[in-house]
Amino acid sequence: MNQLLLPLLLLLVVAVPLVMGTRKQKKQQAAQQEMQNSIAPGDRVMTTSGLYGTVADTSSETTIDIEIAPGVVTTWLRLAVREKVEPVVETEENEDPAETAALEPAPETAAASSEAPAQESISAEEKQTSGAQVAPPLEHGKK
């Protein structure tokens, strides 16, 4: 009996995590399959390649049409959809002009105060976009 105890313990140590891992993976696959089957036109989705778009047509069993830009519709496999994403929230354009005027500084003070930061930001931009620096070539065993 003592000779069987060690192999049984080793089997349990290996088998239990393996079984638990496969159960978790099956649950994740079922959730992914359910999400892909529940896709409807108008849903915002992200594909496995990172492309965001809006579902235009789901009439096919294996493919869906995704609108990636206004008027640009592409066809994708349903399996390529990774997740549904929340739609982009747009800000309201009908703001009260009195509120925006109160937030903005007077024109003469804005011009005087904005000159120096504008020059600083241009010089910082020029430093960043001054071009790539080329490193000297490496000498591999050449002497």
Side-chain angles (χ1 to χ4, degrees):
M1 181 70 180
N2 200 13
Q3 296 174 350
L4 292 176
L5 187 59
L6 183 61
L8 284 176
L9 285 176
L10 287 174
L11 181 65
L12 284 175
V13 168
V14 172
V16 170
L18 186 64
V19 169
M20 298 303 258
T22 56
R23 288 183 61 207
K24 182 178 178 182
Q25 186 178 10
K26 283 182 182 180
K27 286 181 184 179
Q28 288 176 344
Q29 286 177 343
Q32 184 75 10
Q33 184 70 30
E34 182 181 331
M35 183 275 306
Q36 289 171 348
N37 290 336
S38 70
I39 294 173
D43 288 343
R44 186 124 170 99
V45 295
M46 181 180 76
T47 65
T48 54
S49 61
L51 181 79
Y52 289 89
T54 305
V55 177
D57 182 31
T58 59
S59 60
S60 175
E61 290 285 325
T62 58
T63 62
I64 60 170
D65 291 338
I66 300 177
E67 184 175 19
I68 56 175
V72 180
V73 178
T74 57
T75 303
W76 292 76
L77 287 173
R78 279 185 185 266
L79 298 175
V81 176
R82 176 180 291 166
E83 62 185 270
K84 288 184 183 180
V85 293
E86 296 296 320
V88 178
V89 178
E90 296 182 15
T91 59
E92 293 184 23
E93 294 181 15
N94 300 332
E95 294 181 8
D96 186 19
E99 289 178 3
T100 56
L103 296 175
E104 294 176 2
E108 61 274 352
T109 59
S113 65
S114 66
E115 284 182 21
Q119 290 174 354
E120 291 175 8
S121 65
I122 291 173
S123 62
E125 289 176 15
E126 288 175 353
K127 289 178 184 177
Q128 291 176 353
T129 60
S130 64
Q133 296 179 357
V134 179
L138 296 174
E139 300 289 332
H140 292 289
K142 295 181 182 177
K143 288 189 178 187

